[in-house]
Amino acid sequence: MPTALLLWKEVTDVAQVEKYTLQQAKAIIAHVERTGATHSNESINPELTRLNYNLWPPADPDKLILDTDTPGQSSGRYAWRRLEKRLSQVSCLDRDDLNVLCDWCIHLGPDVPPSYDSYEAFFKACVRYICQLYGAENVVFAAVHMDEETPHIHIGFVPVVQKELKLRSNASEAKRAEYEAAVAAGKTTVERVDAHTVINRRHLQGWHGGFQQFMISALGYDPAVYTGVTEALGGNLTVQQLKKQPPDWRRKRNKAADAFHTVRRAEKSGSRPPLNARQEYAEAKKNPPQANPYRTEKKPSGLDDLIKGAKDRGGRSGW
């Protein structure tokens, strides 16, 4: 199937989810933990990687162990072991194209007060929300990245559902005996990896509303995790479209987003937005940065080849 049809796009203003096969999971975990010697993401500043930190496991978060010889590289490898352990505990189809890991990337809300404590409280609340939705037992990493353009957290989990325990009509005697023993013991369901059931169109349609309400309740204020900025600046872009944007696209987009939020905050407080913000936002509305034609994409890196942007092989996303 064509990869471009299966990419998940941004779901809210600040959050997006991607799905990975076991092979792809190796690459995204290396990116999250910064264990690769090189980075295909040019926005990573190795000098700031020391500011990254982990929030998982909650009682004893993974330590960031930086390599003294290679700036921005970490030697701490934790998430892969947790992924393997959880997969060994659940039922999983033996298919190379099976998505076994989901990753929510959640950016800092634009109205979060600028302080370390406020940032940490925001990201910890994000982790609690993901645990509430998908089960803490399924989470394998929660890593905050401070070394890219905007602070954000990656929260990865194994997409597990409870399935009714069934016996095939052509099951062997051994399987039949195993089934009967399980039923006799009161075990009528089985945990199974099923990314399409966990992350599907219907789930995503209601995700941002629940997230917004949870964050307001958890933090005591609205961090602006859903403001409409994505739609205002031209709508969603696929991963492939993002890769094809010109070099200065992200700078222009961020400038337009800043103007949007300045205008939004002023209108919310009942004051008049600054002239430069109004002019910048007016120009962005006439020429939305996320609707501009994009250039031909450059040759993908090895990391891009491996992860290729989160495919949902269980069904087209429609996003």
Side-chain angles (χ1 to χ4, degrees):
M1 284 184 268
T3 301
L5 295 177
L6 303 178
L7 295 177
W8 290 98
K9 293 168 124 183
E10 190 173 279
V11 178
T12 73
D13 286 352
V14 300
Q16 58 274 344
V17 66
E18 298 185 359
K19 302 178 181 181
Y20 298 102
T21 65
L22 191 62
Q23 182 64 26
Q24 294 166 340
K26 296 178 181 179
I28 189 60
I29 287 176
H31 167 76
V32 168
E33 294 187 322
R34 297 292 193 257
T35 53
T38 60
H39 305 296
S40 64
N41 188 341
E42 296 177 357
S43 68
I44 295 176
N45 182 349
E47 299 302 323
L48 298 179
T49 300
R50 58 184 174 79
L51 301 177
N52 293 354
Y53 57 93
N54 296 296
L55 293 175
W56 201 260
D60 185 22
D62 297 336
K63 302 297 186 294
L64 181 67
I65 307 173
L66 293 177
D67 191 324
T68 55
D69 297 325
T70 308
Q73 183 179 357
S74 168
S75 58
R77 301 172 188 270
Y78 311 92
W80 181 256
R81 291 194 291 271
R82 284 196 289 268
L83 175 62
E84 286 188 312
K85 180 180 179 180
R86 186 58 179 143
L87 290 177
S88 71
Q89 298 169 341
V90 298
S91 173
C92 191
L93 295 177
D94 186 16
R95 291 176 50 180
D96 291 339
D97 63 350
L98 182 72
N99 289 308
V100 300
L101 178 70
C102 296
D103 171 39
W104 272 103
C105 179
I106 305 175
H107 289 255
L108 187 73
D111 287 358
V112 175
S115 73
Y116 178 89
D117 289 343
S118 296
Y119 288 8
E120 185 179 47
F122 174 86
F123 291 129
K124 284 184 174 180
C126 292
V127 174
R128 294 198 299 274
Y129 183 66
I130 296 300
C131 288
Q132 174 181 290
L133 285 183
Y134 311 112
E137 68 278 7
N138 297 316
V139 175
V140 294
F141 59 76
V144 176
H145 288 171
M146 302 294 291
D147 58 355
E148 296 182 54
E149 289 178 309
T150 56
H152 59 273
I153 186 170
H154 284 274
I155 310 174
F157 63 95
V158 179
V160 175
V161 296
Q162 292 285 340
K163 294 281 188 178
E164 182 183 354
L165 190 62
K166 294 182 178 180
L167 181 68
R168 293 183 179 181
S169 58
N170 61 346
S172 65
E173 288 298 323
K175 285 291 183 182
R176 191 174 298 277
E178 184 180 333
Y179 170 80
E180 291 174 352
V183 172
K187 184 178 179 181
T188 58
T189 60
V190 62
E191 291 183 311
R192 180 168 297 164
V193 176
D194 189 344
H196 180 57
T197 297
V198 175
I199 303 292
N200 54 39
R201 184 186 183 93
R202 183 177 181 180
H203 175 70
L204 295 177
Q205 286 175 329
W207 196 93
H208 69 268
F211 179 56
Q212 182 180 34
Q213 292 305 311
F214 180 91
M215 296 301 284
I216 293 174
S217 176
L219 300 175
Y221 67 92
D222 186 355
V225 294
Y226 190 69
T227 61
V229 62
T230 300
E231 183 177 356
L233 299 185
N236 290 317
L237 295 178
T238 65
V239 174
Q240 292 300 325
Q241 286 174 326
L242 285 171
K243 292 178 180 178
K244 294 175 182 177
Q245 296 298 330
D248 63 341
W249 173 84
R250 195 173 296 276
R251 179 186 61 80
K252 291 181 178 178
R253 195 273 181 192
N254 289 344
K255 186 177 180 182
D258 287 341
F260 171 89
H261 290 306
T262 299
V263 171
R264 174 183 60 81
R265 294 187 190 104
E267 292 177 345
K268 186 177 180 180
S269 64
S271 60
R272 186 172 176 79
L275 177 61
N276 61 338
R278 284 186 281 127
Q279 291 175 333
E280 178 69 33
Y281 181 44
E283 177 61 29
K285 285 198 293 185
K286 285 194 295 184
N287 298 291
Q290 292 178 200
N292 287 343
Y294 44 81
R295 299 176 184 175
T296 56
E297 66 177 324
K298 60 184 179 180
K299 183 179 179 181
S301 69
L303 177 61
D304 294 328
D305 281 337
L306 282 174
I307 62 178
K308 289 187 178 177
K311 296 180 284 295
D312 172 18
R313 297 181 183 271
R316 288 176 171 80
S317 71
W319 288 83

